[in-house]
Amino acid sequence: MSTPAPPPARGVRGLLHALVRPSPSPPRLAISVQAGIAMLLTVGLPALAGRPDVGLLASTGALSALYLSARSRRERLRRLPLVQLGLLVAVAAGALTGGDPIGAPVVLVLVGIAAVVLVTGTAVGPPGALFPVLGAGVAARLTGPPAAGGAGLDPLLVVGCAIGGAVLAYVVVAAPLLVPAVRRSDRARPIASVRFELDPAGRTIITWVSVAVVLAAVLAAVLGIDRGYWVVVAVVSVLQGGRGRRVTAVRAVHRVAGTLVGAVVFVLVATVVGLPAQGLGLALVLALLQFGAEMVIVAHYGAALLLVTPLALLIAEAGSAGDPWTIAGTRVLDTAIGCAIAAAVLVVDHWAARLRAG
């Protein structure tokens, strides 16, 4: 007779164990290679054509290659266009604000709430609402006036490049099905129907995120944070996947620690490639970061953020000439503020639950 597994540790010891213990993860090499190739082609091909700026703009669309990675290839081909449409609508909404100091935060809040409702209700899975929020925030900054810290780009250019990146990502995802052996093996995997369904845990997550993104946008505006969307991104990334306060607390620690170390990785990469960064070297770095993040994101969220953080920072800041340490330090501070807001929402929710319980 087998001995039953011991119950999970409680208290501080249990929390520390949860922070470092990897979760079960299926093989992810093939899907990670696809994600890396999508980014490499999206940024590298325009660089070869002499337009590295276009490749960076298109990289937002290429991030869609990370979605639905646990599904069969045929199911991904059916559902990925819907996910990409949502991502592109978020980018377009952010771009149309032109970096307006009132319009941009309002759109960011609406995008955050809408994205978390959709990804939770349809069980899209990671990276969830993270990239729509990031895409909207980056697009708003890129189309904002230079006097206000924006890049002054045409919204049509920003959206058009993102569409191109999404199309290329879809082609890369679909390409393996041209191989007969891949088609045969994929037929054995079921295709789930697309349904919208919210259980009590899902509704709780939506409530958490809705309250937190409003607080994050308001606080970022009050504090005059230059790129306030990073605060909202931190809030969403912590709260969107937490099935319970303990799991969400672990994600918050992962977010802060991963961002802190990931910011150092960004500084090292930015020092090597230089800012503003461009060309095939940048394309290769982004591809490797996307590959690595996809490899470990299921097994360990914190480890994935070591790679997601420099990936997101390079996409958002590669065209700037700022000091890497200043950029990294500011992003770490923004993340800490976002995680503090997420923690405050969890504490208040815990108190409210105890009051309701009597």
Side-chain angles (χ1 to χ4, degrees):
M1 183 174 179
S2 61
T3 303
R10 298 291 181 180
V12 175
R13 181 184 173 188
L15 180 59
L16 291 175
H17 184 60
L19 288 174
V20 299
R21 181 187 61 210
S23 302
S25 176
R28 299 186 62 80
L29 179 59
I31 199 72
S32 301
V33 169
Q34 272 190 322
I37 290 174
M39 184 62 73
L40 179 64
L41 294 178
T42 300
V43 181
L45 291 178
L48 287 174
R51 290 299 305 270
D53 55 324
V54 171
L56 275 175
L57 294 175
S59 61
T60 303
L63 292 171
S64 62
L66 296 173
Y67 283 90
L68 303 171
S69 58
R71 313 281 179 165
S72 70
R73 297 182 188 278
R74 291 170 300 144
E75 185 174 349
R76 288 190 83 194
L77 292 188
R78 294 182 183 185
R79 297 185 63 177
L80 187 57
L82 297 176
V83 175
Q84 291 178 322
L85 177 62
L87 176 60
L88 294 172
V89 167
V91 171
L96 290 175
T97 67
D100 182 80
I102 296 177
V106 170
V107 164
L108 197 62
V109 168
L110 294 177
V111 166
I113 294 174
V116 79
V117 168
L118 291 173
V119 300
T120 303
T122 57
V124 167
L130 175 62
F131 289 142
V133 174
L134 178 64
V138 171
R141 183 185 70 82
L142 291 174
T143 57
L153 298 181
D154 185 347
L156 290 178
L157 174 64
V158 173
V159 176
C161 289
I163 292 173
V167 170
L168 189 53
Y170 187 84
V171 171
V172 171
V173 169
L177 286 175
L178 295 174
V179 181
V182 174
R183 288 200 305 272
R184 285 194 298 269
S185 65
D186 195 70
R187 290 194 192 102
R189 302 185 62 183
I191 297 179
S193 59
V194 179
R195 293 186 301 175
F196 184 88
E197 188 175 38
L198 289 175
D199 58 14
R203 289 192 289 270
T204 298
I205 289 173
I206 291 171
T207 302
W208 287 348
V209 173
S210 299
V211 172
V213 294
V214 172
L215 293 175
V218 171
L219 186 60
V222 170
L223 296 178
I225 296 176
D226 183 38
R227 288 163 171 70
Y229 58 86
W230 288 108
V231 181
V232 181
V233 165
V235 162
V236 171
S237 66
V238 169
L239 295 176
Q240 68 171 347
R243 296 279 169 168
R245 298 185 189 91
R246 179 185 174 88
V247 174
T248 307
V250 171
R251 288 176 67 90
V253 176
H254 280 168
R255 179 71 201 184
V256 174
T259 300
L260 181 62
V261 181
V264 175
V265 175
F266 163 75
V267 171
L268 296 176
V269 172
T271 302
V272 173
V273 301
L275 289 181
Q278 57 185 4
L280 290 177
L282 177 61
L284 181 60
V285 168
L286 292 176
L288 290 174
L289 290 172
Q290 181 143 304
F291 166 82
E294 187 66 9
M295 279 290 291
V296 301
I297 194 167
V298 174
H300 199 284
Y301 184 67
L305 286 171
L306 301 182
L307 304 169
V308 171
T309 297
L311 173 66
L313 284 173
L314 283 169
I315 289 174
E317 307 288 350
S320 72
D323 174 60
W325 282 108
T326 301
I327 294 172
T330 305
R331 295 297 80 79
V332 170
L333 177 60
D334 295 343
T335 297
I337 293 173
C339 289
I341 293 172
V345 169
L346 292 178
V347 169
V348 172
D349 180 69
H350 178 64
W351 286 342
R354 293 185 63 179
L355 289 175
R356 288 193 298 268

